[in-house]
Amino acid sequence: SQKIEQNSEALNIQEGKTATLTCNYTNYSPAYLQWYRQDPGRGPVFLLLIRENEKEKRKERLKVTFDTTLKQSLFHITASQPADSATYLCARGGANNLFFGTGTRLTVIP
Amino acid sequence: SQTIHQWPATLVQPVGSPLSLECTVEGTSNPNLYWYRQAAGRGLQLLFYSVGIGQISSEVPQNLSASRPQDRQFILSSKKLLLSDSGFYLCAWSGVRGQETQYFGPGTRLLVL
């Protein structure tokens, strides 16, 4: 089956450091991957989309990479802040919808 | 700009009672619409999606159903709730190409007792 996996359920990091979250996919080659942020009790919010022919994409302190050889996307938050604490979800496209990973809960410690 | 509304925000229902959750979208036409469920500490489970009025695709067998009576209205229903129906229900919309970015509503927290 075509899987998308976020192996780290939780990640704790010190404020000011770079947080790196991983998303792996198997048995297919997605045209693009998306990253969302979800705060407790809220719906996910779209952050970034990266296409298979893009190695890297940036938005302010966020950076996403797409490695088709490793079948992996990395999501980086530089100069992390306590306000970055949330669950981050990656998603791949299906025929008419998106399939989401289970998410990584990031906690930035002051 | 586009907005998506869901109500109610919170709902406590007894086992065996009916359910109706409503989702409406403003500021866009002919969106794809989605219902997800998220159990505590779990990922998003796609329940239903719709590409047009009256067109519903079900992703998982269950005692829930969905309807799309109008272009920008999506309803999730059940005739008899089960304890396992408890969870956080999210509605989302996207452009006509289903793989595009999805925009989520605020969610409904359902507790079945």
Coordinates of all heavy atoms in Angstrom, one line a residue, chain A residues 39-82:
Chain A
D39 N -2.9 23.1 15.9 CA -2.9 23.4 17.3 C -4.0 22.6 18.0 O -5.0 22.2 17.4 CB -3.1 24.9 17.5 CG -1.9 25.7 17.0 OD1 -0.9 25.6 17.8 OD2 -2.0 26.3 16.0
P40 N -3.9 22.3 19.3 CA -4.9 21.5 20.0 C -6.3 22.1 19.9 O -6.5 23.3 20.1 CB -4.4 21.6 21.5 CG -2.9 21.8 21.4 CD -2.7 22.7 20.2
G41 N -7.2 21.2 19.5 CA -8.6 21.6 19.4 C -8.9 22.5 18.2 O -10.0 23.1 18.1
R42 N -8.0 22.5 17.3 CA -8.2 23.4 16.1 C -8.0 22.5 14.8 O -7.4 21.4 14.9 CB -7.2 24.5 16.0 CG -7.1 25.3 17.3 CD -8.3 26.2 17.5 NE -8.5 27.3 16.5 CZ -7.9 28.5 16.6 NH1 -7.2 28.7 17.7 NH2 -8.1 29.4 15.7
G43 N -8.5 23.0 13.7 CA -8.2 22.3 12.4 C -6.8 22.6 11.9 O -6.2 23.6 12.3
P44 N -6.3 21.7 11.1 CA -4.9 21.9 10.5 C -4.9 23.2 9.6 O -5.9 23.5 9.0 CB -4.7 20.7 9.7 CG -5.6 19.6 10.3 CD -6.8 20.4 10.7
V45 N -3.8 23.8 9.6 CA -3.6 25.0 8.8 C -2.4 24.7 7.8 O -1.3 24.3 8.2 CB -3.3 26.2 9.6 CG1 -2.9 27.4 8.7 CG2 -4.4 26.5 10.5
F46 N -2.7 25.0 6.5 CA -1.6 24.7 5.5 C -0.4 25.6 5.7 O -0.6 26.8 6.0 CB -2.3 25.0 4.1 CG -1.2 25.0 3.0 CD1 -0.7 23.8 2.5 CD2 -0.9 26.2 2.4 CE1 0.2 23.8 1.5 CE2 0.1 26.2 1.4 CZ 0.6 25.0 0.9
L47 N 0.8 25.0 5.5 CA 2.0 25.8 5.7 C 2.7 25.9 4.3 O 3.0 27.0 3.8 CB 2.9 25.1 6.7 CG 2.4 25.1 8.2 CD1 3.3 24.4 9.0 CD2 2.2 26.6 8.7
L48 N 3.1 24.7 3.8 CA 4.0 24.7 2.6 C 3.6 23.5 1.7 O 3.2 22.4 2.2 CB 5.4 24.6 3.0 CG 6.1 25.9 3.5 CD1 7.5 25.5 4.1 CD2 6.3 26.9 2.4
L49 N 3.8 23.7 0.4 CA 3.7 22.6 -0.5 C 5.0 22.5 -1.3 O 5.5 23.6 -1.7 CB 2.5 22.8 -1.5 CG 2.2 21.8 -2.6 CD1 0.8 21.9 -3.0 CD2 3.1 22.1 -3.8
I50 N 5.6 21.3 -1.5 CA 6.8 21.2 -2.3 C 6.6 20.1 -3.4 O 6.0 19.1 -3.1 CB 8.0 20.8 -1.4 CG1 9.3 20.8 -2.2 CG2 7.8 19.6 -0.6 CD1 10.6 20.8 -1.4
R51 N 6.9 20.5 -4.6 CA 6.8 19.5 -5.7 C 8.0 18.7 -5.9 O 9.1 19.0 -5.4 CB 6.5 20.3 -7.0 CG 5.3 21.2 -6.9 CD 4.9 21.9 -8.1 NE 3.8 22.9 -7.9 CZ 2.5 22.5 -7.8 NH1 2.2 21.3 -7.9 NH2 1.6 23.4 -7.6
E52 N 7.8 17.6 -6.6 CA 8.9 16.6 -6.7 C 10.1 17.1 -7.4 O 11.2 16.7 -7.2 CB 8.4 15.3 -7.4 CG 7.9 15.5 -8.8 CD 7.5 14.2 -9.5 OE1 7.9 13.2 -9.0 OE2 6.7 14.3 -10.5
N53 N 9.9 18.1 -8.3 CA 11.0 18.7 -9.0 C 11.7 19.9 -8.2 O 12.6 20.6 -8.7 CB 10.6 19.1 -10.4 CG 9.6 20.2 -10.4 OD1 9.0 20.5 -9.3 ND2 9.3 20.8 -11.5
E54 N 11.2 20.1 -7.0 CA 11.8 21.2 -6.2 C 12.5 20.5 -5.1 O 12.0 19.7 -4.3 CB 10.7 22.1 -5.6 CG 9.8 22.8 -6.6 CD 8.7 23.6 -6.0 OE1 8.0 23.0 -5.1 OE2 8.4 24.7 -6.4
K55 N 13.8 20.9 -4.9 CA 14.6 20.3 -3.8 C 14.3 21.0 -2.5 O 14.4 20.3 -1.5 CB 16.1 20.5 -4.2 CG 16.5 19.8 -5.4 CD 16.4 18.3 -5.3 CE 16.9 17.6 -6.5 NZ 16.6 16.1 -6.4
E56 N 13.9 22.3 -2.5 CA 13.8 23.0 -1.3 C 12.8 24.1 -1.5 O 12.7 24.7 -2.6 CB 15.2 23.5 -0.9 CG 15.2 24.4 0.4 CD 16.6 24.9 0.6 OE1 17.6 24.0 0.8 OE2 16.8 26.1 0.6
K57 N 12.1 24.4 -0.4 CA 11.2 25.6 -0.5 C 11.2 26.3 0.9 O 11.2 25.6 1.9 CB 9.8 25.2 -0.8 CG 8.8 26.3 -0.9 CD 7.5 26.0 -1.6 CE 7.7 26.0 -3.1 NZ 6.4 25.8 -3.8
R58 N 11.2 27.6 0.9 CA 11.3 28.3 2.2 C 10.1 29.3 2.3 O 9.6 29.8 1.4 CB 12.6 29.1 2.2 CG 13.8 28.3 2.3 CD 15.1 29.2 2.2 NE 16.3 28.4 2.2 CZ 17.0 28.1 3.3 NH1 16.7 28.6 4.5 NH2 18.1 27.4 3.2
K59 N 9.8 29.5 3.6 CA 8.8 30.5 4.0 C 9.1 31.0 5.3 O 9.0 30.3 6.3 CB 7.4 29.9 3.9 CG 6.3 30.9 4.3 CD 4.9 30.2 4.4 CE 3.8 31.1 4.8 NZ 2.5 30.4 4.9
E60 N 9.7 32.2 5.4 CA 10.1 32.8 6.6 C 11.1 31.9 7.4 O 12.1 31.5 6.8 CB 8.9 33.2 7.5 CG 8.0 34.2 6.8 CD 6.7 34.5 7.5 OE1 6.4 33.8 8.5 OE2 6.0 35.5 7.1
R61 N 10.7 31.4 8.5 CA 11.7 30.5 9.3 C 11.4 29.0 8.9 O 12.1 28.2 9.5 CB 11.5 30.7 10.8 CG 11.9 32.1 11.3 CD 11.7 32.2 12.8 NE 10.4 32.1 13.3 CZ 9.9 31.1 13.9 NH1 10.6 30.0 14.2 NH2 8.6 31.0 14.3
L62 N 10.6 28.8 8.0 CA 10.3 27.4 7.6 C 11.0 27.0 6.4 O 11.2 27.8 5.4 CB 8.8 27.2 7.4 CG 7.8 27.7 8.5 CD1 6.4 27.4 8.1 CD2 8.2 27.0 9.8
K63 N 11.5 25.7 6.3 CA 12.1 25.2 5.1 C 11.7 23.8 5.0 O 11.7 23.0 5.9 CB 13.6 25.3 5.2 CG 14.3 24.8 4.0 CD 15.9 24.9 4.1 CE 16.5 23.8 4.8 NZ 18.0 23.8 4.7
V64 N 11.3 23.4 3.7 CA 10.9 22.0 3.4 C 11.9 21.5 2.3 O 12.1 22.3 1.4 CB 9.5 21.9 3.0 CG1 9.1 20.5 2.5 CG2 8.5 22.4 4.1
T65 N 12.3 20.3 2.5 CA 13.1 19.6 1.4 C 12.4 18.4 0.9 O 11.5 17.8 1.6 CB 14.5 19.3 1.9 OG1 14.4 18.3 3.0 CG2 15.2 20.5 2.4
F66 N 12.7 18.0 -0.3 CA 12.0 16.8 -0.9 C 13.1 16.0 -1.5 O 13.7 16.4 -2.5 CB 11.0 17.3 -1.9 CG 10.0 16.3 -2.4 CD1 8.9 16.7 -3.0 CD2 10.2 14.9 -2.1 CE1 7.9 15.7 -3.5 CE2 9.2 14.0 -2.5 CZ 8.1 14.4 -3.2
D67 N 13.4 14.8 -1.0 CA 14.4 13.9 -1.6 C 13.8 12.7 -2.1 O 13.4 11.8 -1.4 CB 15.4 13.6 -0.4 CG 16.7 12.8 -1.0 OD1 16.5 12.1 -1.9 OD2 17.7 13.1 -0.4
T68 N 13.7 12.7 -3.5 CA 13.0 11.5 -4.1 C 13.8 10.3 -4.1 O 13.3 9.2 -4.2 CB 12.7 11.9 -5.6 OG1 13.9 12.3 -6.2 CG2 11.6 13.0 -5.7
T69 N 15.1 10.4 -3.8 CA 16.0 9.2 -3.7 C 15.7 8.5 -2.4 O 15.5 7.3 -2.3 CB 17.4 9.6 -3.9 OG1 17.6 10.2 -5.2 CG2 18.3 8.3 -3.8
L70 N 15.7 9.3 -1.3 CA 15.4 8.8 0.0 C 14.0 8.6 0.3 O 13.6 8.0 1.3 CB 16.0 9.7 1.1 CG 17.6 9.9 1.1 CD1 18.0 10.9 2.2 CD2 18.2 8.5 1.4
K71 N 13.1 9.1 -0.6 CA 11.6 9.0 -0.4 C 11.3 9.7 0.9 O 10.6 9.1 1.8 CB 11.1 7.6 -0.5 CG 11.2 7.0 -1.8 CD 10.6 5.6 -1.8 CE 10.7 4.9 -3.2 NZ 9.9 5.6 -4.2
Q72 N 11.7 11.0 1.0 CA 11.6 11.6 2.3 C 11.5 13.1 2.1 O 12.0 13.7 1.2 CB 12.9 11.3 3.1 CG 12.9 11.9 4.5 CD 14.2 11.5 5.2 OE1 15.3 12.1 5.0 NE2 14.2 10.5 6.0
S73 N 10.7 13.7 3.0 CA 10.6 15.2 3.1 C 11.0 15.6 4.5 O 10.6 15.0 5.5 CB 9.2 15.7 2.8 OG 9.1 17.1 3.0
L74 N 11.8 16.6 4.6 CA 12.2 17.2 5.9 C 11.6 18.6 6.1 O 11.6 19.3 5.1 CB 13.7 17.2 6.0 CG 14.5 15.9 6.0 CD1 16.0 16.2 6.1 CD2 14.0 15.0 7.0
F75 N 11.1 18.8 7.3 CA 10.5 20.1 7.6 C 11.3 20.7 8.7 O 11.5 20.1 9.8 CB 9.1 19.9 8.0 CG 8.3 21.1 8.5 CD1 7.7 21.9 7.5 CD2 8.2 21.4 9.8 CE1 7.0 23.1 7.9 CE2 7.5 22.6 10.2 CZ 6.9 23.4 9.3
H76 N 11.9 21.9 8.4 CA 12.8 22.6 9.4 C 12.1 23.9 9.9 O 11.5 24.6 9.1 CB 14.1 22.9 8.7 CG 14.8 21.8 8.1 ND1 15.7 20.9 8.8 CD2 14.8 21.3 6.8 CE1 16.1 20.0 8.0 NE2 15.6 20.3 6.7
I77 N 12.2 24.1 11.2 CA 11.9 25.4 11.7 C 13.2 26.0 12.4 O 13.7 25.4 13.3 CB 10.8 25.3 12.8 CG1 9.6 24.6 12.3 CG2 10.4 26.7 13.3 CD1 8.5 24.4 13.3
T78 N 13.7 27.1 11.8 CA 14.9 27.7 12.4 C 14.5 28.7 13.5 O 13.4 29.2 13.5 CB 15.7 28.4 11.3 OG1 14.9 29.4 10.7 CG2 16.1 27.4 10.2
A79 N 15.5 28.9 14.4 CA 15.3 29.8 15.5 C 13.9 29.6 16.2 O 13.1 30.5 16.3 CB 15.4 31.3 15.0
S80 N 13.7 28.3 16.6 CA 12.4 27.9 17.1 C 12.0 28.7 18.3 O 12.8 29.2 19.1 CB 12.4 26.4 17.4 OG 13.4 26.1 18.3
Q81 N 10.7 28.9 18.4 CA 10.1 29.7 19.5 C 9.0 28.9 20.2 O 8.4 28.0 19.5 CB 9.4 31.0 18.9 CG 10.4 31.8 18.1 CD 9.6 32.9 17.3 OE1 8.4 33.0 17.4 NE2 10.4 33.7 16.6
P82 N 8.7 29.1 21.4 CA 7.6 28.4 22.1 C 6.3 28.4 21.3 O 5.5 27.5 21.4 CB 7.5 29.1 23.5 CG 8.9 29.6 23.7 CD 9.4 30.0 22.4

